[in-house]
Amino acid sequence: MKENNLKNVEKRFEELADEYDQEFIKLIPKYIESIDALINSIPFEENAKIRVLDLGCGTGVITKHIKEIYENSIVTCIDLSEKMIEIAKKNLKEYKNIDYLVGNFLDYDFKKGYDLVVSSLAIHHLVSDEDKKRLYKNIYEILNNNGVFYNNDKVQPPNEHIGKLYHDIFIKNLKNNYNDKINEISQSADDHDYPSQLFDQLKWLEEIGFKNIEVIWKYYGHGVYGGEKIDK
Ligand SMILES: C[S@@+](CC[C@H](N)C(=O)[O-])C[C@H]1O[C@@H](n2cnc3c(N)ncnc32)[C@H](O)[C@@H]1O
């Protein structure tokens, strides 16, 4: 399963694409609050002509929020799933200066020069710690001086007790939003997920050279965290 995860993830989101916008708001506890935290963490002036990269853009939820505030931004959206990208194009059709790429964000050879790299609920699909670390290093390389990276993502609990707590919160949220198939929905979400511990990820960011690393928001098994590149 692990080695084929990329194919599995692509398949899962190809299948989910049409319902994604209705389902994820119910599936992820405090999804909207987490997105607000991600967007609020962006430090630039509203009229700034920032270059933005949205990793695992899905149907374009994060880019839409960014475009609403930063209308002069120039955004690159990348996703594994062609269908998610097709829906993103429709959802974002009223906005200018957005490029769409279908591909794996870990292997894609991005040009340098981004002011902001964001990701939401995507990086935990990379199976190994090494791949996540490699991605964070690549992100650091393509960021401009004073550029920032923030990730909204699922995180791995550090022990069994906290794992059960996160799971219980996830199930409680499902029970509030769905009438049946709770275990099935929970299992199919878990099957494609390989989150890493938050504390480890913060250490990697520091090792790579990020500064002002911070957890902006956290609710049990999900968090918004990142840092700044200050190299001059
Ligand atoms: C749960 S969705 C999140 C979509 C959007 N960012 C949001 O917050 O609503 C995860 C998305 O990440 C994409 N994804 C996962 N791993 C990826 C990878 N290695 N490269 C590109 N996209 C990836 C999936 O195809 C899917 O569309």
Side-chain angles (χ1 to χ4, degrees), residues 9 13 20 24 31 56-58 61 79-80 84 103-105 120-122:
V9 169
F13 286 103
Y20 181 87
F24 262 63
Y31 176 60
C57 65
V61 176
D79 202 282
L80 269 182
M84 292 295 257
N104 175 3
F105 52 57
S120 172
L121 302 174

Side-chain angles (χ1 to χ4, degrees), residues 36 39-40 42 44-48 50 63-73 95:
D36 283 347
I39 300 300
N40 291 340
I42 302 172
F44 306 107
E45 297 288 334
E46 287 189 9
N47 59 357
I50 48 171
T63 290
K64 190 172 169 62
H65 279 78
I66 290 172
K67 275 288 177 189
E68 280 295 304
I69 300 171
Y70 299 93
E71 60 171 324
N72 297 323
S73 58
Y95 305 101

Side-chain angles (χ1 to χ4, degrees), residues 108-161:
Y108 200 88
D109 190 13
F110 297 105
K111 290 205 181 83
K112 290 186 179 184
Y114 288 96
D115 302 295
L116 170 67
V117 177
V118 280
S119 187
S120 172
L121 302 174
I123 294 174
H124 71 272
H125 292 301
L126 294 176
V127 172
S128 68
D129 285 358
E130 284 63 38
D131 279 353
K132 294 186 192 89
K133 240 187 272 183
R134 180 150 70 89
L135 177 69
Y136 291 166
K137 202 161 185 302
N138 294 345
I139 292 169
Y140 189 82
E141 294 300 320
I142 60 173
L143 275 174
N144 290 333
N145 187 35
N146 298 322
V148 294
F149 162 57
Y150 286 107
N151 183 25
N152 171 32
D153 217 351
K154 181 170 175 177
V155 296
Q156 175 72 13
N159 65 29
E160 218 174 288
H161 171 73

Side-chain angles (χ1 to χ4, degrees), residues 26-27 167-190:
K26 296 191 281 175
L27 188 70
H167 181 74
D168 289 349
I169 293 290
F170 191 74
I171 295 290
K172 191 173 155 198
N173 175 66
L174 290 182
K175 285 184 176 161
N176 284 337
N177 293 325
Y178 295 89
N179 295 326
D180 55 9
K181 297 191 181 159
I182 304 294
N183 288 336
E184 205 179 300
I185 297 168
S186 161
Q187 191 56 50
S188 88
D190 278 353

